[in-house]
mmCIF file of all heavy atoms in Angstrom:
data_model
loop_
_atom_site.group_PDB
_atom_site.id
_atom_site.type_symbol
_atom_site.label_atom_id
_atom_site.label_comp_id
_atom_site.label_asym_id
_atom_site.label_seq_id
_atom_site.Cartn_x
_atom_site.Cartn_y
_atom_site.Cartn_z
ATOM 1 N N ILE A 5 90.737 55.041 101.660
ATOM 2 C CA ILE A 5 91.797 55.366 102.620
ATOM 3 C C ILE A 5 92.836 54.258 102.587
ATOM 4 O O ILE A 5 92.505 53.084 102.826
ATOM 5 C CB ILE A 5 91.243 55.508 104.059
ATOM 6 C CG1 ILE A 5 90.123 56.542 104.110
ATOM 7 C CG2 ILE A 5 92.367 55.860 105.022
ATOM 8 C CD1 ILE A 5 89.399 56.591 105.451
ATOM 9 N N VAL A 17 86.318 59.863 108.050
ATOM 10 C CA VAL A 17 84.970 59.305 108.234
ATOM 11 C C VAL A 17 83.981 60.398 108.621
ATOM 12 O O VAL A 17 82.844 60.411 108.143
ATOM 13 C CB VAL A 17 84.989 58.159 109.267
ATOM 14 C CG1 VAL A 17 83.584 57.739 109.660
ATOM 15 C CG2 VAL A 17 85.765 56.971 108.709
ATOM 16 N N ARG A 22 79.325 63.458 106.802
ATOM 17 C CA ARG A 22 78.651 64.743 106.575
ATOM 18 C C ARG A 22 78.157 64.852 105.127
ATOM 19 O O ARG A 22 77.112 65.422 104.855
ATOM 20 C CB ARG A 22 79.599 65.896 106.916
ATOM 21 C CG ARG A 22 78.955 67.259 106.820
ATOM 22 C CD ARG A 22 79.780 68.390 107.431
ATOM 23 N NE ARG A 22 81.126 68.506 106.913
ATOM 24 C CZ ARG A 22 82.245 68.258 107.594
ATOM 25 N NH1 ARG A 22 82.181 67.867 108.854
ATOM 26 N NH2 ARG A 22 83.427 68.401 107.055
ATOM 27 N N VAL A 30 91.215 50.492 103.419
ATOM 28 C CA VAL A 30 91.907 49.348 102.845
ATOM 29 C C VAL A 30 93.207 49.122 103.607
ATOM 30 O O VAL A 30 94.027 50.043 103.733
ATOM 31 C CB VAL A 30 92.184 49.562 101.345
ATOM 32 C CG1 VAL A 30 92.780 48.308 100.725
ATOM 33 C CG2 VAL A 30 90.898 49.967 100.614
ATOM 34 N N GLN A 39 81.572 51.148 112.924
ATOM 35 C CA GLN A 39 80.137 50.911 113.087
ATOM 36 C C GLN A 39 79.331 51.730 112.085
ATOM 37 O O GLN A 39 78.140 51.530 111.925
ATOM 38 C CB GLN A 39 79.705 51.261 114.517
ATOM 39 C CG GLN A 39 80.393 50.429 115.586
ATOM 40 C CD GLN A 39 80.121 48.944 115.412
ATOM 41 O OE1 GLN A 39 78.983 48.539 115.214
ATOM 42 N NE2 GLN A 39 81.174 48.143 115.446
ATOM 43 N N VAL A 48 93.141 43.194 102.721
ATOM 44 C CA VAL A 48 93.800 42.555 101.586
ATOM 45 C C VAL A 48 94.842 41.571 102.101
ATOM 46 O O VAL A 48 95.227 41.614 103.271
ATOM 47 C CB VAL A 48 94.464 43.599 100.666
ATOM 48 C CG1 VAL A 48 93.411 44.504 100.047
ATOM 49 C CG2 VAL A 48 95.496 44.417 101.405
ATOM 50 N N ALA A 54 99.671 45.312 98.197
ATOM 51 C CA ALA A 54 98.333 44.721 98.064
ATOM 52 C C ALA A 54 97.225 45.754 98.267
ATOM 53 O O ALA A 54 96.263 45.805 97.494
ATOM 54 C CB ALA A 54 98.163 43.549 99.036
ATOM 55 N N ALA A 55 97.345 46.590 99.279
ATOM 56 C CA ALA A 55 96.322 47.616 99.518
ATOM 57 C C ALA A 55 96.332 48.641 98.382
ATOM 58 O O ALA A 55 95.267 49.042 97.887
ATOM 59 C CB ALA A 55 96.547 48.306 100.855
ATOM 60 N N ILE A 59 93.144 49.489 95.828
ATOM 61 C CA ILE A 59 92.616 50.846 95.634
ATOM 62 C C ILE A 59 92.708 51.238 94.160
ATOM 63 O O ILE A 59 91.729 51.714 93.569
ATOM 64 C CB ILE A 59 93.358 51.859 96.526
ATOM 65 C CG1 ILE A 59 93.021 51.607 98.009
ATOM 66 C CG2 ILE A 59 93.003 53.295 96.134
ATOM 67 C CD1 ILE A 59 93.879 52.373 98.997
ATOM 68 N N HIS A 62 90.051 49.773 91.960
ATOM 69 C CA HIS A 62 88.656 50.142 92.220
ATOM 70 C C HIS A 62 88.348 51.632 92.068
ATOM 71 O O HIS A 62 87.208 52.002 91.821
ATOM 72 C CB HIS A 62 88.250 49.674 93.631
ATOM 73 C CG HIS A 62 88.125 48.194 93.727
ATOM 74 N ND1 HIS A 62 89.210 47.378 93.969
ATOM 75 C CD2 HIS A 62 87.061 47.381 93.605
ATOM 76 C CE1 HIS A 62 88.808 46.121 93.991
ATOM 77 N NE2 HIS A 62 87.503 46.090 93.764
ATOM 78 N N ALA A 66 86.765 61.159 89.847
ATOM 79 C CA ALA A 66 86.101 61.965 90.876
ATOM 80 C C ALA A 66 86.063 61.297 92.247
ATOM 81 O O ALA A 66 85.498 61.849 93.175
ATOM 82 C CB ALA A 66 84.700 62.401 90.454
ATOM 83 N N ILE A 70 93.061 58.903 100.107
ATOM 84 C CA ILE A 70 93.872 59.473 101.183
ATOM 85 C C ILE A 70 95.090 58.568 101.337
ATOM 86 O O ILE A 70 94.957 57.400 101.713
ATOM 87 C CB ILE A 70 93.093 59.532 102.521
ATOM 88 C CG1 ILE A 70 91.696 60.130 102.358
ATOM 89 C CG2 ILE A 70 93.921 60.249 103.581
ATOM 90 C CD1 ILE A 70 91.642 61.509 101.793
ATOM 91 N N LEU A 76 101.056 55.214 94.572
ATOM 92 C CA LEU A 76 99.606 55.006 94.596
ATOM 93 C C LEU A 76 98.889 56.273 94.167
ATOM 94 O O LEU A 76 97.934 56.229 93.382
ATOM 95 C CB LEU A 76 99.117 54.562 95.984
ATOM 96 C CG LEU A 76 97.597 54.508 96.155
ATOM 97 C CD1 LEU A 76 96.952 53.562 95.147
ATOM 98 C CD2 LEU A 76 97.246 54.107 97.586
ATOM 99 N N ALA A 78 99.933 58.519 92.162
ATOM 100 C CA ALA A 78 100.098 58.640 90.705
ATOM 101 C C ALA A 78 99.093 57.743 89.982
ATOM 102 O O ALA A 78 98.481 58.166 88.987
ATOM 103 C CB ALA A 78 101.531 58.281 90.305
ATOM 104 N N ALA A 103 107.289 64.648 92.584
ATOM 105 C CA ALA A 103 107.182 63.854 93.816
ATOM 106 C C ALA A 103 107.781 62.457 93.614
ATOM 107 O O ALA A 103 108.484 61.943 94.492
ATOM 108 C CB ALA A 103 105.722 63.755 94.250
ATOM 109 N N GLU A 115 119.725 54.740 101.131
ATOM 110 C CA GLU A 115 120.529 53.538 100.888
ATOM 111 C C GLU A 115 122.010 53.821 101.088
ATOM 112 O O GLU A 115 122.755 52.967 101.550
ATOM 113 C CB GLU A 115 120.298 53.018 99.467
ATOM 114 C CG GLU A 115 118.956 52.366 99.269
ATOM 115 C CD GLU A 115 118.681 52.042 97.800
ATOM 116 O OE1 GLU A 115 119.603 52.183 96.956
ATOM 117 O OE2 GLU A 115 117.534 51.674 97.501
ATOM 118 N N GLU A 118 123.131 58.661 103.611
ATOM 119 C CA GLU A 118 123.177 60.121 103.657
ATOM 120 C C GLU A 118 122.061 60.704 104.514
ATOM 121 O O GLU A 118 122.208 61.754 105.109
ATOM 122 C CB GLU A 118 123.079 60.698 102.241
ATOM 123 C CG GLU A 118 124.195 60.281 101.313
ATOM 124 C CD GLU A 118 125.521 60.918 101.663
ATOM 125 O OE1 GLU A 118 125.524 62.053 102.170
ATOM 126 O OE2 GLU A 118 126.552 60.272 101.432
ATOM 127 N N ILE A 119 120.925 60.031 104.532
ATOM 128 C CA ILE A 119 119.769 60.491 105.305
ATOM 129 C C ILE A 119 119.380 59.372 106.254
ATOM 130 O O ILE A 119 119.168 58.234 105.843
ATOM 131 C CB ILE A 119 118.573 60.824 104.388
ATOM 132 C CG1 ILE A 119 118.932 61.970 103.462
ATOM 133 C CG2 ILE A 119 117.339 61.161 105.216
ATOM 134 C CD1 ILE A 119 117.857 62.316 102.461
ATOM 135 N N GLY A 122 113.601 60.377 109.704
ATOM 136 C CA GLY A 122 112.336 60.261 108.998
ATOM 137 C C GLY A 122 111.644 61.605 108.897
ATOM 138 O O GLY A 122 112.230 62.647 109.169
ATOM 139 N N LYS A 128 99.022 69.053 114.978
ATOM 140 C CA LYS A 128 97.635 69.533 114.966
ATOM 141 C C LYS A 128 97.368 70.359 113.716
ATOM 142 O O LYS A 128 96.282 70.287 113.138
ATOM 143 C CB LYS A 128 97.341 70.375 116.208
ATOM 144 C CG LYS A 128 97.198 69.576 117.468
ATOM 145 C CD LYS A 128 96.848 70.474 118.644
ATOM 146 C CE LYS A 128 96.714 69.669 119.922
ATOM 147 N NZ LYS A 128 96.385 70.522 121.066
ATOM 148 N N THR A 140 87.651 70.670 100.596
ATOM 149 C CA THR A 140 87.825 71.287 99.288
ATOM 150 C C THR A 140 87.784 70.222 98.187
ATOM 151 O O THR A 140 87.172 70.408 97.137
ATOM 152 C CB THR A 140 89.153 72.061 99.234
ATOM 153 O OG1 THR A 140 89.138 73.058 100.246
ATOM 154 C CG2 THR A 140 89.380 72.708 97.884
ATOM 155 N N LEU A 148 83.283 67.495 89.445
ATOM 156 C CA LEU A 148 83.810 66.593 88.422
ATOM 157 C C LEU A 148 82.804 65.498 88.080
ATOM 158 O O LEU A 148 82.696 65.077 86.943
ATOM 159 C CB LEU A 148 85.109 65.926 88.889
ATOM 160 C CG LEU A 148 86.347 66.777 88.938
ATOM 161 C CD1 LEU A 148 87.494 65.992 89.566
ATOM 162 C CD2 LEU A 148 86.730 67.245 87.550
#
Side-chain angles (χ1 to χ4, degrees):
I5 304 172
V17 170
R22 185 168 55 248
V30 186
Q39 299 300 313
V48 296
I59 292 169
H62 289 85
I70 312 302
L76 172 58
E115 287 172 8
E118 299 289 329
I119 297 176
K128 286 182 180 180
T140 301
L148 287 174

